[in-house]
Amino acid sequence: MARNESPDRWLEGDRQLPKDPQHYSQFLTRLATALYEGGWAAIAWPKQYGGRDATLMEEIIYHQEMVRVQSPPLLTTSEFIWLLQP
């Protein structure tokens, strides 16, 4: 995800999640939107379906990077995305 797509300076090290449930939900919505708009929500999907045509190795690297930057878990980018794949 590009630096300007990350919500609330996440990549710069400010990884405090909002404590208020409404703000937390808004944060996750902004993050999921940025991932989707950048084609990162399901990177192995074909580009015509919103993915990035990523190879298996690229997908592995992507997930390693999400762990490295301590991305909060998003159901849309993990368990349930594979139920909808083209």
Side-chain angles (χ1 to χ4, degrees):
M1 179 168 36
R3 194 169 291 280
N4 62 351
E5 295 172 334
S6 64
D8 302 332
R9 300 173 309 179
W10 192 266
L11 294 179
E12 285 77 26
D14 182 9
R15 297 190 177 114
Q16 294 293 321
L17 293 172
K19 303 263 188 261
D20 177 64
Q22 182 177 0
H23 291 141
Y24 182 73
S25 176
Q26 291 170 348
F27 172 83
L28 291 181
T29 299
R30 287 194 316 273
L31 178 59
T33 299
L35 290 171
Y36 170 76
E37 289 175 351
W40 297 102
I43 67 169
W45 285 19
K47 289 182 180 181
Q48 67 263 29
Y49 294 108
R52 298 181 73 86
D53 279 327
T55 65
L56 177 59
M57 185 55 67
E58 290 169 328
E59 189 172 7
I60 290 169
I61 293 168
Y62 166 76
H63 287 291
Q64 288 176 335
E65 286 298 301
M66 293 295 278
V67 170
R68 184 184 67 79
V69 299
Q70 301 171 354
S71 174
L74 297 169
L75 293 178
T76 57
T77 59
S78 57
E79 295 88 9
F80 294 113
I81 201 74
W82 302 113
L83 295 174
L84 305 172
Q85 69 186 15

